[in-house]
Amino acid sequence: MLPAAVIGLAASLAATAVAVFAGAGLTALEWSVYDHRMRAREPASVSPALVVVARDPASEARFGAGPWDRALLARLITGLSRAGAAVIGVDVPLGQPSLPGRGGAGSDALLSQATALADNVVYPIALDPAGAAADPGSPSHASWPPLSQISLALPAAGSRVGPLPGLARHARAVGHTLAPADPDGVVRRVPLFVRVDDRAVPALGLALAIASASASADRIAMDGRGVTVPRSGTIAVDSRGRALVGYVAPERLTVVPFLDIWTAIDASQAQTLRGLVEDKIVLVLAEPAHGLSRTPIGPMSDILIQAELLNAVLAGSWLRAAPLGWALAATLAVAAIAAWLGLALAWWKGLVGVAALTSGYTALVLLAPALIGVLLPVVPPLAAVVVACAGALLWNQVGSAYRLRRLEGEAESIREALVRRESTVEGLEEDLEAARAAVARSTGAERELLQAVDGLRAQLTDARALEAETRGRLTELERELRAADTRHVQLDDPAHERLRRQCAEVSIITREPAVLSRFRDLEKAARSSLPILILGEPGTGKELFARAAHRLSSRASGPFVAVNMAAIPTELFESELFGHAKGSFTGAVAERKGYFEQADGGTIFLDEIGELRAPDQSKLLRVLQEKTFYRVGATRPTAVDVRVVAASNRDLERGVAEGWFREDLYFRLKGLVLRLPSLRERRQDVAPLAARFLEEAAAEASRRVTLSEAALRALERHPWPGNVRELQHCLRQAVALADRAVLVPEDLRLAPAPDATVDAGSDAAVLLCLRQHGFDMQATARALQWDRSTVTQRLKGLGFRALVEAGGDRRKAALELAGDPALGRAVELKLSEYHEHLLRAVEGIDSVEAALAACRRRFKNLPERHFRSLEFLVRQRFEGQPPKARV
């Protein structure tokens, strides 16, 4: 394989190309540099500040939510002018007369008069960006310079209002509010001028800036660097006369609610009003907000975008597009790092590295404008990171699969070579024996035969050396294949894979769905104080599950005390579990805490609880009920807070029925019952368990040992009556006694399985046959030499019992029956059909007894032992109906 650095470079180049072509036209727009020009080309005084008078809910509650009476705006303009406002911008739509209900022509006349008296009002004009052809009715204003003065190629626009009304003719200036969006729908640029007939209409923000500088149209200069405005410096523009809006420019604006300004005017608070607007540009937002556009800092109206443009003009801070090469360099660097992280590191380290890289770059994008005046590209680098990570992941997957196939192919070819070498060795040995026999028979040709023997012996030595080398290489390949198969294989079900990893964290090695399902129940119950009872044969991992319950609970920081109840003599039961006081009996020379007191605040594990004698059961029951006990010889009780987890390899329900285990103690312990399957019921766990135990035993013996395929198959076939513990001891013994680096079946010294006659008609045999044939009813019937209906009835019975044990959860019941997630869906469909068939059979029947009688007639071939499960489902069906349905 190529080195990771070379692969990372290639992946990053590909990711960069994809990101750049995907974001073509946006890279140069996103990568921009602040050109901080705090002073203009010529000395100038400090630019005035901007006051935005915003329409707010309080003013709408007073003056209405729609367009306001223009007489109100006329009074507002007169008050602002008297208070010393440098320039007043009002967003009144030109060409739209007032409605009769909002003042009508009289209000328009008052607004025109106030505009003429103030002589510093600027209005916006609505233009059509489609560039309609000019006509004799096209508008014109004195503030619009002729096109001969503008050296840029300006976008064309047409008027929507015709000739300007008298209101606009009295204004100081009129500006447009066009703000076309970039291809991605975000407004970043505003055209400083648009062409209408033979005139250039300035943007509203630019018109306000020109008016505040008391400049005329002929004082606007154009050169190769941009548009120069007196007292405001040079604004950089592109080839189409558009300027980048300085959304992150230092703010020189103040937002004041409309009602505050109106209250100051209405109450004749001249001093307050003067303090707010004197020598400042005032932009009045009197119209309802509509037609919001997307900007880099959020949705904004066209008037607010013009306010941001004016703020950039006043602050003297401009954005300038950077060369495309900068964006390509940044994208290439980020993609190269992401590809290297995905290829050179483990998957979780690479994931952490990519997350850190993305977070760092995002933080840099957010901080760069304020710290160094650079607006970094966003879309191409992050898209390149995604493409590079996807490419690295795909490369790793393809590379791993290729390597595995190459190893398998090489192993197969070496096996074939080994067979040929063995045949060569056998042939040479036969030739050597024949030569020796010939030497014994002939003395005349002894020298020649001895030479032939020596030659054959040399060939035999070489052949044996080649055989040993081939076997060594085969062993290494089998070890690599074993590592690839046991360490990197994940379960198909994501939920089961998550549970498998959590089990591994608490030293429980399993892939069996039944065990994973029990661990999921344990994980949920561990967070409560519910007692847990773990049942299973010796060596199935009951103590591991008990320790997992402790680690997953809120008591994980407390003690975990394991007690073997079968090893405590009756006469020492109270002293061992509850402790004793000093001098309470002969030999009690000091106080001693019992197991329950040692486990205070944590978990006590009562192993082999089924071996507890009857007198001791009552003593334990009292402690579990009262949470208190008396030490031997003590006069005051001791209270403890202990979580109880019990375990037994005996059938406690049978013990309750037979009388050797107290029923009340059983129900006190039976909060959550977990029945752990034996190792012979979880064959797919043999391989990962064997790998873990072999690794531990090899580390203990300071050796490198692995299993051959034949040895692993022998382990999987063995019944393991001692379960996991027997498997561990078997592998430790094999590592200790075998001399080989690759263990073969003979090294395991497995005892032959006892001849056990399994009833071919038992439920276990039928279920095993169904699993072997993928729940194909016809194939199973042929294998059992039954008819198909008999197999169907047996599966119905097994399904009804599984549904009852799973609490009606069809998916869980299907997984229990299938034993393999790959067969779970097919079994779930069969269970659904059987259950719905049962429900249809009792539909329309009024009583449980009649329903059961009907089921006995319909399911007459169902074994009697399964009819109890059917009866439970039928009763559950009737209990779920409304009372009238059961009458």
Side-chain angles (χ1 to χ4, degrees):
M1 296 178 65
L2 294 174
V6 177
I7 298 173
L9 180 59
S12 63
L13 286 171
T16 302
V18 172
V20 170
F21 283 111
L26 298 181
T27 306
L29 301 180
E30 296 289 352
W31 183 284
S32 302
V33 180
Y34 273 109
D35 182 14
H36 291 278
R37 299 169 182 253
M38 302 310 297
R39 286 182 278 178
R41 295 173 56 192
E42 55 188 19
S45 59
V46 178
S47 299
L50 171 63
V51 175
V52 177
V53 180
R55 182 182 178 122
D56 60 324
S59 61
E60 290 185 346
R62 181 170 178 178
F63 303 115
W68 291 340
D69 192 336
R70 293 186 179 180
L72 181 147
L73 299 179
R75 185 178 178 187
L76 178 70
I77 291 173
T78 302
L80 294 174
S81 178
R82 290 175 179 175
V87 180
I88 303 171
V90 184
D91 65 336
V92 172
L94 299 180
Q96 297 181 10
S98 296
L99 299 175
R102 292 294 181 178
S107 294
D108 290 342
L110 289 175
L111 183 58
S112 296
Q113 184 180 3
T115 302
L117 292 175
D119 194 30
N120 62 350
V121 182
V122 179
Y123 287 108
I125 182 173
L127 297 179
D128 185 0
D135 56 57
S138 296
S140 181
H141 195 270
S143 64
W144 298 354
L147 289 178
S148 59
Q149 188 178 334
I150 307 298
S151 61
L152 297 175
L154 303 182
S159 172
R160 297 179 182 176
V161 299
L164 291 179
L167 172 67
R169 288 197 297 271
H170 298 305
R172 170 69 65 84
V174 175
H176 73 83
T177 58
L178 292 178
D182 285 338
D184 60 350
V186 179
V187 176
R188 297 181 179 85
R189 287 174 165 80
V190 170
L192 293 186
F193 293 94
V194 296
R195 176 169 55 85
V196 175
D197 199 3
D198 61 346
R199 291 281 180 170
V201 182
L204 179 63
L206 181 62
L208 288 168
I210 296 172
S212 69
S214 300
S216 59
D218 57 0
R219 294 197 53 194
I220 301 174
M222 301 290 299
D223 56 23
R225 294 187 299 170
V227 179
T228 301
V229 180
R231 296 174 55 188
S232 298
T234 300
I235 306 174
V237 296
D238 59 12
S239 59
R240 291 186 287 174
R242 300 183 304 170
L244 288 166
V245 180
Y247 292 107
V248 292
E251 289 192 355
R252 295 179 60 85
L253 61 87
T254 305
V255 180
V256 180
F258 184 92
L259 196 58
D260 291 357
I261 299 293
W262 179 258
T263 301
I265 295 174
D266 196 37
S268 300
Q269 299 173 356
Q271 192 65 27
T272 302
L273 189 60
R274 187 175 297 275
L276 288 174
V277 302
E278 186 176 18
D279 295 329
K280 298 177 181 176
I281 302 175
V282 181
L283 179 59
V284 181
L285 307 181
E287 288 296 311
H290 61 277
L292 299 180
S293 301
R294 290 175 53 202
T295 72
I297 60 175
M300 300 178 70
S301 64
D302 291 343
I303 295 294
L304 285 179
I305 293 174
Q306 295 294 327
E308 291 290 342
L309 174 64
L310 178 56
N311 179 67
V313 172
L314 298 178
S317 180
W318 317 112
L319 291 171
R320 186 181 301 275
L324 180 62
W326 292 21
L328 291 175
T331 304
L332 179 61
V334 173
I337 296 173
W340 179 81
L341 290 172
L343 291 171
L345 302 180
W347 70 268
W348 63 271
K349 292 182 180 178
L351 184 61
V352 172
V354 170
L357 176 64
T358 305
S359 301
Y361 187 78
T362 304
L364 186 60
V365 168
L366 297 176
L367 297 177
L371 296 180
I372 60 176
V374 175
L375 186 62
L376 298 177
V378 178
V379 176
L382 295 184
V385 169
V386 174
V387 175
C389 292
L393 178 62
L394 180 62
W395 179 269
N396 284 335
Q397 294 295 329
V398 172
S400 298
Y402 170 77
R403 181 171 177 271
L404 187 59
R405 288 195 299 269
R406 182 176 60 82
L407 290 174
E408 291 174 346
E410 189 174 351
E412 185 63 28
S413 61
I414 290 179
R415 287 192 183 97
E416 294 176 359
L418 180 60
V419 171
R420 290 193 295 270
R421 297 276 190 274
E422 289 174 344
S423 300
T424 302
V425 170
E426 292 172 357
L428 290 173
E429 288 177 344
E430 292 176 357
D431 292 343
L432 180 60
E433 290 298 327
R436 287 174 177 169
V439 168
R441 290 193 302 268
S442 175
T443 58
E446 182 177 356
R447 180 176 300 175
E448 291 80 2
L449 290 177
L450 287 177
Q451 291 177 352
V453 168
D454 292 339
L456 291 173
R457 185 178 290 113
Q459 293 181 26
L460 179 60
T461 301
D462 295 340
R464 285 175 175 172
L466 286 174
E467 179 186 0
E469 181 181 353
T470 305
R471 288 186 182 277
R473 179 57 181 160
L474 180 60
T475 300
E476 292 179 2
L477 288 174
E478 287 182 343
R479 186 181 297 114
E480 292 185 31
L481 288 172
R482 176 65 58 206
D485 290 341
T486 59
R487 296 182 184 178
H488 299 291
V489 174
Q490 297 184 351
L491 300 180
D492 295 334
D493 191 337
H496 284 178
E497 175 62 19
R498 180 186 66 82
L499 290 173
R500 184 193 66 77
R501 293 180 180 177
Q502 292 180 343
C503 285
E505 292 176 359
V506 293
S507 301
I508 298 175
I509 308 300
T510 183
R511 296 177 183 169
E512 179 66 33
V515 181
L516 295 175
S517 174
R518 285 157 177 76
F519 182 80
R520 181 178 62 247
D521 295 340
L522 176 71
E523 183 183 23
K524 295 177 181 178
R527 295 190 288 266
S528 66
S529 58
L530 192 70
I532 299 174
L533 178 61
I534 306 173
L535 303 176
E537 297 180 6
T540 53
K542 297 188 291 296
E543 184 169 350
L544 285 178
F545 268 74
R547 292 185 181 274
H550 175 69
R551 288 183 58 181
L552 296 173
S553 70
S554 58
R555 302 170 177 265
S557 59
F560 177 85
V561 178
V563 183
N564 185 356
M565 305 298 287
I568 302 177
T570 302
E571 59 273 12
L572 297 179
F573 179 80
E574 292 184 81
S575 175
E576 291 293 318
L577 262 66
F578 311 137
H580 59 256
K582 181 179 179 180
S584 57
F585 54 84
T586 303
V589 297
E591 288 189 353
R592 180 185 179 277
K593 291 183 179 181
Y595 292 130
F596 269 90
E597 198 168 354
Q598 294 175 27
D600 188 22
T603 304
I604 187 169
F605 175 47
L606 304 178
D607 195 13
E608 303 298 343
I609 192 72
E611 305 300 328
L612 198 61
R613 301 162 185 82
D616 298 334
Q617 293 179 21
S618 60
K619 298 174 185 178
L620 178 61
L621 175 63
R622 182 174 183 82
V623 175
L624 298 181
Q625 290 175 340
E626 305 295 336
K627 304 293 184 182
T628 60
F629 55 85
Y630 286 89
R631 292 182 181 177
V632 176
T635 58
R636 289 184 299 179
T638 301
V640 292
D641 176 21
V642 175
R643 169 77 172 278
V644 177
V645 179
S648 176
N649 60 3
R650 303 182 67 182
D651 188 351
L652 298 185
E653 289 186 353
R654 180 180 177 183
V656 171
E658 295 178 355
W660 52 265
F661 198 83
R662 291 179 64 107
E663 183 179 17
D664 47 4
L665 177 58
Y666 173 71
F667 286 108
R668 176 65 63 177
L669 298 172
K670 183 188 174 184
L672 170 67
V673 178
L674 299 176
R675 302 181 185 273
L676 301 185
S678 61
L679 187 57
R680 59 184 171 274
E681 298 175 282
R682 34 188 286 213
R683 296 291 182 181
Q684 59 179 323
D685 285 348
V686 172
L689 284 170
R692 168 64 68 85
F693 295 150
L694 191 66
E695 183 179 355
E696 293 174 353
E700 182 180 349
S702 299
R703 295 179 57 194
R704 294 185 60 184
V705 184
T706 186
L707 283 171
S708 66
E709 294 291 340
L712 180 59
R713 287 195 296 269
L715 292 176
E716 291 175 342
R717 288 194 302 265
H718 195 69
W720 300 113
N723 294 298
V724 179
R725 191 176 295 118
E726 183 184 1
L727 174 62
Q728 182 181 21
H729 290 168
C730 172
L731 291 172
R732 291 187 64 185
Q733 172 187 272
V735 172
L737 299 181
D739 295 328
R740 301 183 181 91
V742 179
L743 300 181
V744 297
E746 292 75 14
D747 298 325
L748 301 175
R749 306 190 181 190
L750 295 175
D755 293 334
T757 303
V758 179
D759 183 7
S762 66
D763 290 341
V766 174
L767 184 58
L768 178 61
C769 190
L770 283 166
R771 290 174 176 175
Q772 291 174 345
H773 293 86
F775 285 83
D776 184 332
M777 311 301 286
Q778 191 67 36
T780 304
R782 286 197 300 267
L784 295 174
Q785 296 182 354
W786 291 354
D787 60 89
R788 183 187 178 114
S789 61
T790 303
V791 177
T792 302
Q793 291 297 320
R794 294 296 290 273
L795 181 57
K796 281 185 179 179
L798 293 171
F800 293 156
R801 185 178 68 185
L803 279 173
V804 172
E805 293 177 352
D809 189 339
R810 293 178 179 177
R811 180 176 177 81
K812 183 178 179 181
L815 288 175
E816 289 287 342
L817 281 179
D820 184 354
L823 299 174
R825 179 57 182 165
V827 178
E828 184 179 356
L829 292 175
K830 289 182 180 294
L831 287 188
S832 299
E833 292 179 1
Y834 297 160
H835 192 202
E836 291 171 2
H837 181 206
L838 172 62
L839 297 181
R840 288 196 300 269
V842 299
E843 186 175 357
I845 300 178
D846 297 334
S847 65
V848 176
E849 290 73 16
L852 292 176
C855 289
R856 283 195 176 275
R857 291 191 299 272
R858 183 178 294 270
F859 302 102
K860 59 183 179 180
N861 293 329
L862 189 70
E864 184 65 26
R865 60 182 177 276
H866 294 310
F867 201 83
R868 291 181 59 188
S869 301
L870 182 146
E871 181 180 352
F872 180 85
L873 294 175
V874 171
R875 292 185 182 277
Q876 186 181 50
R877 164 70 175 82
F878 276 84
E879 289 174 0
Q881 289 182 346
K884 291 182 180 179
R886 296 197 299 266
V887 174

